[in-house]
Amino acid sequence: MSPMSSSPAPVGHVPSDVHSLGYVRVRVTDPEAWRRFAFDVVGFAEGPGARDGALRLRMDERPYRLELVPGDTDQVLATGWEVRDHLALDRVRTALEKHGTPVEELDETACAARGVQAALAATDPGGTPLEFFCGPALDHSPVVTPFAARFVTGGLGLGHVVVPVHDADTVHAFYTEVLGFAPRGRMGVPLPPEAGGPLWVRFLSTSRRHHTLAVMGVPATEPPGLVHIMVEMAALDDVGRTLDRVAAHGVPLSSTLGRHTNDKIVSFYVRTPGGWDLEVGCDGLLVDEAEYVAEEITADSYWGHDWSVGQRG
């Protein structure tokens, strides 16, 4: 009998136990400002199960994709990366421990608070706190967003997150060589040497999204944090109506509407009450991994994305 042939990898397959960006947890100093921003401007649904004054932003059958926890500082508490099951979680633990990265297993109370079956906590070499989890408890009630906007999530996860790092090469190697993220190119930010430039943004992915993570080189004086989080809406009209609400509520834009050259998404950037940006877009590229080759983009956007708007008084 001839040996059974293996099935071809699916389009967009990435050889990583990390499946997608499942959630982001952030400490916030002004929960009421966040409530107005999240529900009256962007149009998230409010998720159930929040504890101790936290606010959960819902986009799909997950009880939340963003959790905002009241506190004395605005800072990222964790980027939550989803894996397939407990076996994949064990493999992630083994990879981290082999690399020498300390790993904490979250207890039942912590897992229940996050609405997951099991989870691990660690920190990447750039100082960003990480959580890896499996078995999210789903909420099957209808997702009723305030303005009927629909978000693109599912197997693609929350969207993407961009974090500032001092040593982009080391952090990039951690995600690609330890965790198996797929490299998806880079972009140089043309700053003069006295300003710390040129700075490199390196894109990585765990799915067919062009990137689920980007690491942005910054001067060593800047602390760990968030540059931006991207959420994808199902239609251009959803994005346009959100942009109208941003203007109506007087929320400052960081960048005008435009289309990026790498992930092709049509988006704008708005400044959140936490001081980092939320990118709201649509029509993001789905990568065919079998056809993808590494690239260096030399322009952020085909058109639009005027960042000077964020500098205007």
Side-chain angles (χ1 to χ4, degrees):
M1 181 181 293
S2 61
M4 183 179 297
S5 61
S6 59
S7 342
V11 171
H13 172 70
V14 176
S16 173
D17 276 311
V18 179
H19 183 269
S20 61
L21 179 63
Y23 59 73
V24 178
R25 302 176 58 245
V26 184
R27 179 173 290 129
V28 301
T29 57
D30 194 342
E32 285 309 308
W34 265 105
R35 177 174 289 276
R36 293 189 296 271
F37 175 79
F39 303 134
D40 297 342
V41 179
V42 181
F44 293 105
E46 184 166 2
R51 304 183 183 190
D52 302 321
L55 190 63
R56 288 183 161 185
L57 310 186
R58 187 181 176 198
M59 301 165 64
D60 52 18
E61 282 195 318
R62 305 296 174 92
Y64 69 98
R65 289 292 189 170
L66 293 167
E67 183 170 47
L68 312 173
V69 180
D72 296 331
T73 57
D74 289 291
Q75 67 181 92
V76 59
L77 295 174
T79 56
W81 297 96
E82 184 170 5
V83 304
R84 185 185 187 279
D85 51 29
H86 70 284
L87 299 175
L89 195 62
D90 286 343
R91 289 192 294 269
V92 168
R93 181 208 300 270
T94 298
L96 290 170
E97 290 176 342
K98 184 178 180 180
H99 176 258
T101 300
V103 181
E104 175 191 358
E105 182 174 354
L106 299 187
D107 62 22
E108 289 186 11
T109 300
C111 288
R114 289 159 176 75
V116 301
Q117 291 179 14
L120 307 172
T123 302
D124 78 13
T128 299
L130 310 174
E131 292 178 357
F132 302 93
F133 71 94
C134 66
L138 303 184
D139 182 340
H140 301 297
S141 63
V143 182
V144 182
T145 57
F147 305 101
R150 293 172 295 118
F151 293 91
V152 177
T153 55
L156 299 174
L158 160 61
H160 72 236
V161 62
V162 181
V163 296
V165 299
H166 302 152
D167 186 346
D169 289 339
T170 297
V171 177
H172 185 267
F174 170 78
Y175 282 102
T176 55
E177 298 172 17
V178 178
L179 294 174
F181 282 48
R184 292 270 171 84
R186 69 176 189 171
M187 178 184 72
V189 179
L191 296 180
E194 60 270 21
L199 302 179
W200 290 100
V201 183
R202 300 174 187 271
F203 303 96
L204 308 104
S205 191
T206 58
S207 72
R208 292 193 68 195
R209 284 197 195 276
H210 178 273
H211 53 283
T212 49
L213 170 69
V215 294
M216 181 176 186
V218 296
T221 53
E222 294 192 21
L226 289 174
V227 177
H228 75 258
I229 294 174
M230 185 280 291
V231 296
E232 185 174 358
M233 291 182 165
L236 179 60
D237 286 344
D238 294 330
V239 175
R241 293 184 185 109
T242 306
L243 186 56
D244 283 349
R245 292 192 297 274
V246 166
H249 286 264
V251 180
L253 281 177
S254 293
S255 170
T256 60
L257 191 71
R259 183 187 286 275
H260 282 309
T261 54
N262 57 2
D263 64 1
K264 316 304 181 189
I265 200 164
V266 176
S267 66
F268 67 89
Y269 293 73
V270 60
R271 184 55 52 97
T272 72
W276 45 273
D277 288 342
L278 182 71
E279 180 184 7
V280 180
C282 66
D283 296 336
L285 172 70
L286 295 179
V287 171
D288 181 345
E289 186 65 21
E291 300 292 333
Y292 180 80
V293 294
E295 60 196 7
E296 180 175 317
I297 59 172
T298 57
D300 181 44
S301 305
Y302 291 109
W303 53 267
H305 287 141
D306 178 3
W307 291 93
S308 70
V309 69
Q311 310 300 319
R312 298 170 192 166

